[in-house]
Amino acid sequence: MTETAEFSVVVPVHNEAGNVAVLVGEIAAALEGRAFEMVFVDDASTDDTRARLMALKAEYPMLRVLGHRANAGQSRAIRSGILAARAPVVGTLDGDGQNDPADLPDLYRQLTRADAPHGLKMVMGRRASRKDSAWKKFGSRFANNIRGRMLRDDCDDSGCGIKVMRRDAYVMLPYFDHMHRYMPALMRAEGHGVEFRNVNHRPRGQGKSNYTNFGRLRDAMSDLRGVMWLIRRRRNPGGADEF
């Protein structure tokens, strides 16, 4: 099944033992009837996340489990999963259960529709009604406002983890820690099209967030300077022709 997958779903997880079984089942139900695979990347969890995922492989033959030998962060886990993915179209979602796998088919259809604009490479979710604390939503709005003014990428919800993209476009992007928050800007810097779609958002299942507002803000200031430098230094040839 996975050797001929049309769609790979990559899920980075770290200490999400209480959420992975439900999430695997929801992805399988949402994509039933399609040729797909799930690639869960365990970013060196210290709980039994990896063991629970391995136990699920017998029930879900389309499930693949990768494990980092050392903790490397969400962006690296996403990258490991996409590099291992076998399908030309890849979807990602967070491992805490807040993204709804039921949105994946709509994102996939929007990206692959026959009348899609030329060069469309990614459709990113936009959380229409976030189910987070007021403090967490404030932190996200603050960071998104700063990032949006500086990058002008039309993305007003950079923290939304659910997105669908062409794998070949992703692998050409420059990699750095936290790059998953800047993918619309990086895609557009390469000349690719990006669209957005409202998606569902749910309360966290079990466990606790691996991020804090202050940690995000500290990293964002450094990352923004780096992303702006990368965009300024890129030169786009408009494609290449073989003669």
Side-chain angles (χ1 to χ4, degrees):
M1 181 182 299
T2 56
E3 292 294 342
T4 57
E6 298 174 345
F7 189 30
S8 297
V9 179
V10 172
V11 185
V13 288
H14 177 71
N15 291 346
E16 298 289 359
N19 296 315
V20 291
V22 171
L23 191 53
V24 167
E26 288 181 331
I27 296 171
L31 300 178
E32 185 176 6
R34 298 174 181 267
F36 74 98
E37 65 174 2
M38 294 178 271
V39 184
F40 274 67
V41 183
D42 174 37
D43 188 27
S45 293
T46 56
D47 64 3
D48 61 345
T49 294
R50 191 173 304 185
R52 294 196 185 194
L53 285 169
M54 293 300 295
L56 290 165
K57 286 171 61 70
E59 183 178 357
Y60 298 96
M62 71 290 289
L63 173 62
R64 300 169 59 197
V65 180
L66 277 64
H68 283 170
R69 296 169 186 170
N71 181 267
Q74 185 173 352
S75 284
R76 180 67 250 195
I78 291 171
R79 183 169 180 81
S80 293
I82 294 179
L83 292 177
R86 295 168 177 156
V89 178
V90 178
T92 67
L93 69 165
D94 292 340
D96 58 10
Q98 291 196 265
N99 298 140
D100 190 346
D103 287 314
L104 287 170
D106 287 339
L107 293 169
Y108 179 92
R109 282 190 289 267
Q110 183 169 334
L111 178 69
T112 61
R113 68 190 190 274
D115 61 345
H118 177 71
L120 179 64
K121 295 295 185 179
M122 187 172 78
V123 178
M124 180 166 176
R126 178 192 293 117
R127 294 169 289 188
S129 180
R130 288 189 62 177
K131 300 299 189 294
D132 284 321
S133 68
W135 176 241
K136 190 171 182 179
K137 286 188 281 189
F138 167 78
S140 292
R141 283 196 302 270
F142 182 77
N144 277 316
N145 285 337
I146 294 175
R147 185 201 48 72
R149 286 197 297 268
M150 296 179 72
L151 297 181
R152 302 184 184 278
D153 58 359
D154 298 325
C155 178
D156 57 5
D157 189 10
S158 63
C160 185
I162 188 167
K163 53 184 73 74
V164 171
M165 71 200 86
R166 298 284 182 180
R167 182 183 180 276
D168 60 350
Y170 170 86
V171 298
M172 295 299 292
L173 300 180
Y175 167 74
F176 54 92
D177 197 17
H178 305 124
M179 71 166 287
H180 65 282
R181 296 185 177 278
Y182 300 92
M183 285 170 59
L186 295 170
M187 284 281 187
R188 286 182 168 172
E190 285 289 326
H192 303 318
V194 178
E195 292 182 350
F196 302 90
R197 185 183 187 92
N198 287 347
V199 295
N200 188 28
H201 191 243
R202 310 181 295 188
R204 182 180 241 285
Q206 300 184 41
K208 63 180 182 179
S209 174
N210 295 307
Y211 299 99
T212 66
N213 279 351
F214 292 115
R216 281 196 181 102
L217 184 60
R218 181 195 63 237
D219 294 335
M221 294 301 99
S222 173
D223 294 340
L224 270 172
R225 292 192 294 271
V227 171
M228 292 177 70
W229 182 87
L230 281 171
I231 291 174
R232 286 196 302 268
R233 299 297 294 171
R234 298 185 82 75
R235 300 181 67 179
N236 192 337
D241 302 302
E242 182 175 353
F243 300 98

